[in-house]
Amino acid sequence: MFWVLVLLSFIVLSGDGLISEGASKPHVVNVGAIFSLSTVYGNVANIAMKAAEDDVNSDPSFLGGSKLRILMYDAKRNGFLSIMGALQFMETDAVAIIGPQTSIMAHVLSHLANELNVPMLSFTALDPSLSALQFPFFVQTAPSDLFLMRAIAEMITYYGWSDVIALYNDDDNSRNGVTSLGDELEGRRCKISYKAVLPLDVVITSPREIIDELVKIQGMESRVIIVNTFPKTGRMIFEEAWKLGMMDNGYVWIATTWLSSLLDSFTPLALKKAKSIRGVLTLRLHTPESRKKRDFVARWNKLSNGTVGLNVYGLYAYDTVWIIARAVKNLLDSGANISFSSDSKLNSLQGGSLNLSALSIFDQGSKFLDYIVKTKMSGVTGPVQFLPDRSMNQPAYDIINVVNDGFNQIGYWSNHSGLSITPPESLYSKPSNRSSSNQHLSNVTWPGGASVTPRGWVFPNNGRRLRIGVPNRASFKDFVSSVNGSNRVQGYSIDVFEAAIKLLSYPVPHEFILFGDGLKNPNFNELVNNVTTGVFDAVVGDIAIVTKRTRIVDFTQPYIESGLVVVAPVTKLNDTPWAFLRPFTPPMWAVTASFFLIVGSVIWILEHRINDEFRGPPRRQIVTILWFSFSTMFFSHRENTVSTLGRVVLLIWLFVVLIITSSYTASLTSILTVQQLNSPIKGVDTLISSSERVGFQVGSYAENYMIDELNIARSRLVPLGSPKEYATALENGTVSAIVDERPYVDLFLSEFCGFAIRGQEFTRSGWGFAFPRDSPLAVDMSTAILGLSETGQLQKIHDKWLSKSNCSNLNGSESDDDQEQLKLRSFWGLFLVCGIACFIALLIYFVKIVRDFCNNHKPEEEAIVVSSPEGSRSRTLQTFLAYFDEKEDESKRRLKRKRNDDLSLNPSRPV
């Protein structure tokens, strides 16, 4: 306030105030207007405000006999003259001031308005920082540029761009608008990567400063340029950009509302000659179609005498006059006088000959301001209404694309529903829907005539290659490693990255830089942090995508799944000759065997007195009991040889045996199909609850995860550097288990046998390539990785580096040959028992038949002695074979006849 008053002290004020004291209805109500009439805004606003003044005064009854007078002051684009104009209006007792035209002067003159209670209304000074709290007597009668920047931010998000360049003048309006844009972009994970600041619009006399900034922009990565300036500077920017070849394919230009004002005010012929702006997007304050608007547009050519076309600010100028007129009407209708009084603060100043008393306070200013902000009417811009924060209700914009024959409207933006191809007023009655699927714009013709949306960035043309950090691993070198100690790198991760790069539609010059000494695995958190500090432009390797890292960098789509698992020594439970016994527990085997005897005994009791098969010597009855019990499993017709009661018992027992047999078969099949592994470590829960030591890979995030998330004491953790160290530590008991990522573990298990994964993965993540936050290359690389996956090339790279095995698989299903070998090994014990039983049975049978042969086929006493022993042995063998082949019943009958014959021939011979 002080510096404003100091400025006033250098101004000689004169004139008398026209105070309408005592008059209830003043003859004239003065309203000041400060514009630069040589500008498009000022010229159009002047015509529109005069038209509104005539329309208000055309009905004498509207203001009760008073007339509204608009006093136009031409500031000639000069700040000092703007101040002079405001002071003159304060002398002439103006109830309000329309303007100033620029936000620079709005910040200055609002202090005057606050001090003298004179409302100041502007539809062009739309700086978002002009808040009602700081400047209560300053009212923006058009939507603040805050909404304009929000609309641009949503357009940038819609098209998938992340980095933009802002080109603007160094004044309050342009600067604060860009600041608001940066805030809006930040909330959408986008950013302004460079701010190109130009001198004030009024002081630019040559394009030199503009060319310098455009050349800088030309060498940068981003190709999305936001131009927030004024018509004069804006035209120069596009003319020089066209000369520099920056209006060709690949560039995106978005101009704020200054360009749409020029488009509306240009003649069609002049627009067709403007090659420099073809393909540019711009925005225009949206005004819905209405009868009032159509009538005013129809009058415009007559009002302007064809000198200038009507732009949207002409409509807001017209409505602003009507807002003041309605407030004046309400003030007069309330019975209040329009009066002005001296400012005691100014009177106390010792200004010499300065006539500071000429500046007067509007006594009813606060009340008049209240009537202004409570205005609710239907104007040529649509419904007019202020929200409690003084912002305009339902702000909206038209989105325009400049083309060869003029311009096309490709859609709308509203604060209610975002981007749409439907007029906003048709959506206000529906619930707000800002989802991405509900955002739509029509097709755009981009600079250079392209119809495909530009990706919005390129590699800067400065000859610098991307510096890509690569971990210099000491172990698991199949993933990434140095070639013979040189700077060349190879491995699974490198091949995936190079294959993805080839799928991009543009070249990506790059070089790999090793991180670490190669003697031990580097710390991956430090490696990723180097991306944020600019040491590396990206990191490629076996980098796990974990929460801590995603907060500082952007990762691509995972190119391999990962997750922490537990590895421990194991033995195969079904890799024994007695695996067939495992389906039943020992108690089950004992109970089953007991019931065979119990059922046999019950059948014996039921059948003993009535069935001949269950009678005879005890030895025979015991054999019968066992035979009936066990033969029931195979011969269901056995029940037909017993009584009805016994048949019921046997049928029930048969049913039980069938269920037991089927359960045994199913369980045995499951055991033989799926490998059963035995280890005291069952999974991560075992590690958490135990006090055993746990190994982890040096440099892996597994260490911090076990400490922070699993609450495992650091003293229990043992760092290990290589697969060989893994195996040694597990074998000698240094650690009971190892926690590491799945890809490392799979590679370890393919080389070292006797270990297996215990339990399930207890984290879910993957490996990706790290880029700086909001890097567009991360998005393109993600798309390329998906392409590698869909074509099968990703799997081929995996097979090349990682598909090898020196051990049978302990963690998954085996091959068909392995399964057959597994079955033979598992049944070997059963076959041995069967073989031994067969051998014993044959031995007993052979001993018995030899004994019977020897007892029943002694040499005849009267036989003639043979001439040689060989003939005797041959005859004996033939006789034995004939005896072996002969049916037992016939042998017994023949032997009985022989004995009877011997008795009849030699009765005295002992039998």
Side-chain angles (χ1 to χ4, degrees):
M1 179 62 191
F2 175 77
W3 65 270
V4 175
L5 295 178
V6 170
L7 178 63
L8 297 179
S9 66
F10 292 93
I11 303 173
V12 178
L13 301 177
S14 61
D16 299 325
L18 300 177
I19 304 175
S20 303
E21 296 181 355
S24 60
K25 295 285 186 178
H27 178 66
V28 176
V29 178
N30 292 328
V31 175
I34 304 173
F35 283 88
S36 299
L37 300 182
S38 62
T39 65
V40 174
Y41 296 144
N43 190 8
V44 171
N46 182 40
I47 297 172
M49 287 188 289
K50 289 297 183 182
E53 176 187 3
D54 293 340
D55 291 344
V56 170
N57 294 329
S58 64
D59 182 4
S61 63
F62 183 76
L63 293 180
S66 298
K67 286 188 176 293
L68 188 70
R69 181 169 64 183
I70 305 296
L71 303 175
M72 178 61 69
Y73 182 87
D74 186 2
K76 303 183 184 299
R77 306 188 70 200
N78 187 288
F80 179 78
L81 293 180
S82 296
I83 296 175
M84 289 294 294
L87 292 174
Q88 285 187 11
F89 294 140
M90 301 302 180
E91 293 178 10
T92 56
D93 296 338
V95 298
I97 297 175
I98 301 177
Q101 185 172 325
T102 66
S103 295
I104 297 176
M105 298 315 304
H107 280 276
V108 175
L109 299 181
S110 291
H111 291 284
L112 281 175
N114 290 347
E115 181 65 24
L116 301 178
N117 293 354
V118 177
M120 187 173 290
L121 291 78
S122 180
F123 47 86
T124 55
L126 302 177
D127 181 355
S129 67
L130 288 166
S131 68
L133 293 177
Q134 184 179 6
F135 305 111
F137 278 83
F138 181 80
V139 180
Q140 293 174 331
T141 58
S144 164
D145 280 351
L146 171 66
F147 301 104
L148 172 65
M149 298 306 166
R150 186 173 299 169
I152 294 175
E154 292 198 20
M155 290 171 60
I156 292 169
T157 304
Y158 173 80
Y159 288 114
W161 304 314
S162 57
D163 283 3
V164 303
I165 293 174
L167 184 58
Y168 60 97
N169 296 107
D170 192 18
D171 64 80
D172 289 343
N173 188 77
S174 300
R175 187 190 317 110
N176 293 334
V178 170
T179 300
S180 296
L181 176 62
D183 294 340
E184 294 290 337
L185 290 175
E186 185 177 358
R188 294 165 173 81
R189 289 198 62 180
C190 303
K191 65 180 180 180
I192 300 176
S193 57
Y194 179 70
K195 294 180 179 180
V197 184
L198 299 174
L200 294 177
D201 179 72
V202 296
V203 302
I204 293 181
T205 57
S206 72
R208 186 68 261 166
E209 296 94 340
I210 294 175
I211 294 173
D212 291 343
E213 287 298 332
L214 290 178
V215 170
K216 291 180 184 178
I217 293 172
Q218 200 171 24
M220 294 179 180
E221 181 178 280
S222 178
R223 284 292 183 264
V224 181
I225 305 167
I226 313 299
V227 182
N228 187 35
T229 182
F230 299 91
K232 173 190 170 184
T233 302
R235 281 182 290 191
M236 294 175 66
I237 288 173
F238 283 116
E239 288 172 1
E240 299 305 324
W242 183 72
K243 294 176 183 178
L244 291 172
M246 297 177 68
M247 299 306 297
D248 293 334
N249 292 341
Y251 282 91
V252 175
W253 293 86
I254 301 178
T256 51
T257 52
W258 64 267
L259 180 55
S260 63
S261 298
L262 288 182
L263 295 176
D264 291 333
S265 300
F266 275 163
T267 63
L269 180 60
L271 183 61
K272 288 183 179 180
K273 294 181 180 180
K275 297 180 180 179
S276 61
I277 60 173
R278 291 176 184 173
V280 177
L281 294 179
T282 185
L283 297 93
R284 175 175 57 199
L285 284 165
H286 175 72
T287 54
E289 293 300 322
S290 66
R291 184 179 59 81
K292 287 185 177 182
K293 178 181 175 181
R294 288 193 298 270
D295 292 344
F296 187 72
V297 171
R299 294 169 54 195
W300 182 258
N301 193 50
K302 182 178 180 180
L303 293 172
S304 64
N305 294 319
T307 57
V308 64
L310 173 64
N311 61 46
V312 69
Y313 294 102
L315 301 177
Y316 276 98
Y318 183 86
D319 277 353
T320 300
V321 173
W322 272 101
I323 291 173
I324 295 174
R326 287 179 176 272
V328 170
K329 173 179 173 56
N330 290 331
L331 181 66
L332 296 177
D333 290 347
S334 69
N337 293 326
I338 295 179
S339 61
F340 297 85
S341 60
S342 300
D343 188 344
S344 60
K345 297 178 182 178
L346 295 178
N347 292 333
S348 64
L349 291 176
Q350 298 298 321
S353 60
L354 293 178
N355 186 15
L356 297 179
S357 61
L359 300 178
S360 55
I361 296 175
F362 182 18
D363 296 330
Q364 292 78 32
S366 297
K367 189 174 183 180
F368 184 58
L369 174 66
D370 189 53
Y371 284 128
I372 289 174
V373 297
K374 289 183 178 180
T375 298
K376 188 175 182 180
M377 70 178 194
S378 177
V380 293
T381 60
V384 176
Q385 183 179 0
F386 295 94
L387 298 177
D389 63 352
R390 299 274 188 90
S391 64
M392 295 296 292
N393 189 32
Q394 299 174 343
Y397 294 87
D398 302 331
I399 302 176
I400 296 169
N401 179 209
V402 183
V403 293
N404 289 335
D405 56 349
F407 56 86
N408 294 331
Q409 185 164 327
I410 63 170
Y412 306 88
W413 178 90
S414 71
N415 199 44
H416 175 75
S417 56
L419 301 173
S420 69
I421 55 176
T422 305
E425 52 271 16
S426 65
L427 301 175
Y428 290 143
S429 60
K430 301 177 181 178
S432 177
N433 185 350
R434 305 300 287 269
S435 64
S436 58
S437 61
N438 198 53
Q439 306 297 294
H440 302 287
L441 290 175
S442 300
N443 296 331
V444 176
T445 299
W446 303 99
S451 58
V452 177
T453 302
R455 66 174 183 269
W457 69 279
V458 295
F459 282 98
N461 187 24
N462 53 18
R464 188 178 72 84
R465 293 170 173 266
L466 285 183
R467 294 170 52 86
I468 300 178
V470 175
N472 192 6
R473 297 195 59 88
S475 61
F476 295 108
K477 294 188 175 183
D478 297 85
F479 295 107
V480 60
S481 65
S482 171
V483 179
N484 298 326
S486 67
N487 290 328
R488 293 177 54 232
V489 292
Q490 64 180 5
Y492 169 69
S493 299
I494 301 301
D495 280 6
V496 172
F497 178 79
E498 294 288 7
I501 285 290
K502 292 178 182 178
L503 293 183
L504 301 181
S505 59
Y506 48 89
V508 182
H510 60 277
E511 60 179 333
F512 295 111
I513 301 174
L514 291 170
F515 179 80
D517 56 13
L519 301 178
K520 64 178 181 179
N521 293 332
N523 187 297
F524 280 31
N525 287 333
E526 293 180 6
L527 177 58
V528 172
N529 285 336
N530 281 333
V531 176
T532 65
T533 59
V535 175
F536 298 130
D537 298 310
V539 168
V540 170
D542 43 336
I543 313 298
I545 304 173
V546 296
T547 303
K548 181 179 180 180
R549 296 170 185 168
T550 59
R551 294 192 180 106
I552 58 175
V553 297
D554 279 351
F555 281 95
T556 62
Q557 171 81 15
Y559 61 89
I560 187 173
E561 292 184 356
S562 180
L564 294 179
V565 293
V566 177
V567 182
V570 295
T571 58
K572 295 182 181 180
L573 291 180
N574 54 346
D575 197 14
T576 66
W578 311 106
F580 67 89
L581 296 175
R582 291 188 54 230
F584 290 164
T585 60
M588 183 65 179
W589 282 115
V591 170
T592 302
S594 300
F595 261 87
F596 275 110
L597 299 178
I598 291 172
V599 171
S601 300
V602 170
I603 295 298
W604 179 83
I605 293 172
L606 296 176
E607 303 295 326
H608 176 65
R609 298 188 61 196
I610 61 176
N611 195 328
D612 290 339
E613 291 191 31
F614 292 87
R615 301 191 66 81
R619 177 182 174 185
R620 177 187 174 190
Q621 294 185 48
I622 291 174
V623 172
T624 302
I625 291 172
L626 295 176
W627 172 248
F628 260 83
S629 297
F630 287 95
S631 64
T632 304
M633 294 176 60
F634 311 103
F635 303 100
S636 60
H637 64 277
R638 292 292 301 173
E639 72 272 9
N640 295 327
T641 63
V642 299
S643 63
T644 302
L645 191 58
R647 191 178 299 121
V648 172
V649 174
L650 285 176
L651 287 173
I652 294 174
W653 175 236
L654 175 62
F655 179 72
V656 173
V657 168
L658 289 175
I659 293 177
I660 294 174
T661 303
S662 61
S663 300
Y664 174 87
T665 303
S667 179
L668 183 61
T669 300
S670 175
I671 290 172
L672 298 180
T673 301
V674 181
Q675 276 284 13
Q676 303 292 314
L677 305 177
N678 183 34
S679 171
I681 304 298
K682 304 301 181 184
V684 66
D685 293 336
T686 306
L687 297 182
I688 295 174
S689 60
S690 71
S691 59
E692 300 290 335
R693 291 165 69 84
V694 182
F696 66 92
Q697 182 184 170
V698 174
S700 170
Y701 76 95
E703 177 185 12
N704 291 333
Y705 185 88
M706 286 189 284
I707 295 173
D708 299 336
E709 304 297 333
L710 303 184
N711 296 320
I712 296 178
R714 188 183 296 273
S715 59
R716 293 176 54 195
L717 303 182
V718 179
L720 301 171
S722 67
K724 186 175 181 180
E725 290 185 26
Y726 283 16
T728 302
L730 290 171
E731 289 170 350
N732 61 24
T734 302
V735 296
S736 62
I738 290 173
V739 173
D740 205 350
E741 296 176 66
R742 183 62 182 259
Y744 299 126
V745 170
D746 288 342
L747 200 58
F748 166 70
L749 295 178
S750 69
E751 184 177 357
F752 294 92
C753 310
F755 312 100
I757 295 174
R758 305 301 296 156
Q760 302 295 322
E761 293 184 18
F762 54 91
T763 65
R764 283 288 183 183
S765 63
W767 290 354
F769 306 133
F771 292 89
R773 290 295 298 270
D774 305 318
S775 169
L777 188 56
V779 178
D780 289 354
M781 285 294 289
S782 293
T783 304
I785 290 172
L786 290 175
L788 292 177
S789 178
E790 292 172 357
T791 60
Q793 192 172 352
L794 194 61
Q795 184 62 42
K796 291 179 182 178
I797 299 174
H798 180 277
D799 295 342
K800 171 186 174 182
W801 288 98
L802 307 180
S803 293
K804 56 184 179 180
S805 178
N806 299 325
C807 306
S808 62
N809 189 358
L810 295 180
N811 305 296
S813 59
E814 300 188 352
S815 64
D816 293 339
D817 292 339
D818 291 338
Q819 289 288 349
E820 292 299 327
Q821 294 172 5
L822 175 63
K823 291 180 181 178
L824 292 176
R825 292 195 302 267
S826 300
F827 279 104
W828 181 82
L830 185 60
F831 291 142
L832 179 62
V833 171
C834 183
I836 292 174
C838 293
F839 176 77
I840 293 174
L842 288 175
L843 181 62
I844 293 173
Y845 178 74
F846 183 75
V847 170
K848 178 178 178 296
I849 199 169
V850 170
R851 186 193 64 180
D852 292 342
F853 176 78
C854 294
N855 291 337
N856 298 323
H857 291 78
K858 295 180 179 180
E860 300 294 337
E861 294 177 347
E862 61 277 9
I864 301 174
V865 179
V866 296
S867 58
S868 65
E870 290 79 3
S872 174
R873 285 194 294 271
S874 177
R875 187 178 293 106
T876 301
L877 179 59
Q878 291 176 1
T879 305
F880 175 76
L881 292 176
Y883 177 77
F884 180 81
D885 185 58
E886 189 176 27
K887 190 176 181 181
E888 185 177 2
D889 292 342
E890 293 181 0
S891 297
K892 290 180 178 179
R893 286 195 297 270
R894 183 176 56 77
L895 181 60
K896 185 177 181 179
R897 287 196 304 270
K898 183 177 180 181
R899 289 177 178 176
N900 290 337
D901 291 344
D902 290 343
L903 287 175
S904 62
L905 295 175
N906 191 4
S908 61
R909 184 178 180 179
V911 180

